[in-house]
Amino acid sequence: MGYAATVAKLKSGHSMRLWLAKLIIVVAALSGATASADPTGTTATVEKSSSQPALRGFDFNLTMWEVSGVDAEPGAYENQIALIFEPSWNIGQTFFPKSWWKPLTLSSRLLVEWELTGNDASFRGPSFASPTLLRDSPEQVAIAEASAQGKVADSGVVTGSGRRATVSDLWLGLSHNKLVTIPKLGIDVGLAARLVLPTSQESRNTGFQAAPSLTLLLNRKLWRFDFGYGFRAAKYFYAEKVASIGKLDGTVSVNGQNVTPLSFDSSGTLTPNFGFVNFFTVGLELPKGFSLEADYFLFNVFSNSLSNCAVAGVPTADVCRDGHALGDIRSPAERDSQWFLLEVDYKPPPMDWWTIGLGISTYAPLRLPNGTIANPIIQVNRNNYTTVYLSLAVNAESLATRLKKKGN
């Protein structure tokens, strides 16, 4: 299956990191078989064709994405490339190959993205609100929103070698893809755990510390169809209730004069407190190595509550009272978004170690400015909510197995 089948300085103390590490170890989690990225938020493991994997339980997925916007208006078009690194270790297969623990897998995930053209806020300052692709979890959705105003503004639209690469936050997960099967219904029940750590610049700027989460997944395979539903809950840990901001150091040149820019201690954006996601997926296996999949995600993220409603220097202000008229400033704020993906994949039957995919992705706020529900399928405008993408994924275990068979 392809992507649609499944899309740093710590400010906390040592005790907090140790507690979170213990939490992620003791919770079983879910993962599905894929050679690409995984919208459920768990790094996938490849189905093993034998009881003795070629890599002894270790695996590595490498996926390259080429993402293009669909709005070609001047100053609106954007194009990006992303590399997704997903090492994993099938602990159950290694130590308990004939027991209930067999699917238990430890995994991690890191993204590196480059902008070829465009003005995406992820690669410069906060002037543009275009969401990047691959924000496929309530953890990362909320972290990206809180970070949008917490960056050091760069030089605006740039070209050529002036564009820089961005590194995502690090995901660590533990997965078990079949805790139990519901009798008669044939529904497999899985559980997932993940810990997000701040390795990206945007997260370090805003005081993000960690985000543990749990996922419950139901899956039912019927003929060539694969139906799935999942629910994920996430908790965020930030140093402050209002996101800090990366300050400009030194002076800037204005009309030939060096000027010290005005600096602020925070971005004014409330940091997230907790979040939920519901996701639905339908897959169809087609002949000759082709497959088709559609996914829909609904994100609900709630911000921290303000402990001080007053505004310094404004004696009549009360943001707790007045915030309800100002949308996201209300306490607590709720930020709702949705994500739709449709992808067709091709995996050559004799060469099942690589997969190529072509898809459309729409990640956008749930509601339009007038309060009505937005079209989840496609939105063509300067926000670049809708993009098309081409993916190429390579799996180490499948490749090693193929080479091993040829050697025999």
Side-chain angles (χ1 to χ4, degrees), residues 124-126 150-154 164 201 205 245-249:
R124 264 169 308 286
K151 304 171 185 174
V152 175
D154 292 320
R164 62 183 176 85
Q201 180 182 351
N205 282 347
I245 191 169
K247 297 181 180 181
L248 286 169
D249 296 324

Side-chain angles (χ1 to χ4, degrees), residues 138-291:
E139 304 97 310
Q140 207 62 51
V141 168
I143 292 167
E145 290 176 347
S147 302
Q149 302 296 329
K151 304 171 185 174
V152 175
D154 292 320
S155 58
V157 178
V158 294
T159 59
S161 60
R163 300 183 185 275
R164 62 183 176 85
T166 65
V167 179
S168 73
D169 291 325
L170 176 64
W171 299 1
L172 301 175
L174 193 65
S175 66
H176 192 297
N177 66 358
K178 194 174 181 180
L179 294 176
V180 66
T181 299
I182 300 177
K184 296 183 180 180
L185 298 179
I187 298 177
D188 293 331
V189 180
L191 186 66
R194 183 168 65 194
L195 178 65
V196 179
L197 296 174
T199 54
S200 68
Q201 180 182 351
E202 60 183 15
S203 292
R204 299 196 303 272
N205 282 347
T206 53
F208 170 59
Q209 297 171 334
S213 64
L214 293 175
T215 300
L216 178 69
L217 184 71
L218 306 178
N219 183 266
R220 175 71 163 92
K221 188 169 181 62
L222 186 63
W223 189 56
R224 290 180 175 268
F225 289 91
D226 199 352
F227 301 92
Y229 165 75
F231 175 79
R232 176 182 288 271
K235 171 64 179 175
Y236 310 94
F237 293 93
Y238 275 81
E240 303 291 343
K241 291 186 177 182
V242 179
S244 56
I245 191 169
K247 297 181 180 181
L248 286 169
D249 296 324
T251 61
V252 296
S253 178
V254 179
N255 296 327
Q257 296 182 351
N258 292 328
V259 178
T260 301
L262 180 64
S263 297
F264 300 91
D265 293 331
S266 73
S267 66
T269 302
L270 291 171
T271 55
N273 184 16
F274 59 92
F276 305 103
V277 61
N278 290 271
F279 55 91
F280 308 84
T281 177
V282 179
L284 174 62
E285 294 183 8
L286 300 173
K288 298 183 179 180
F290 286 92
S291 63

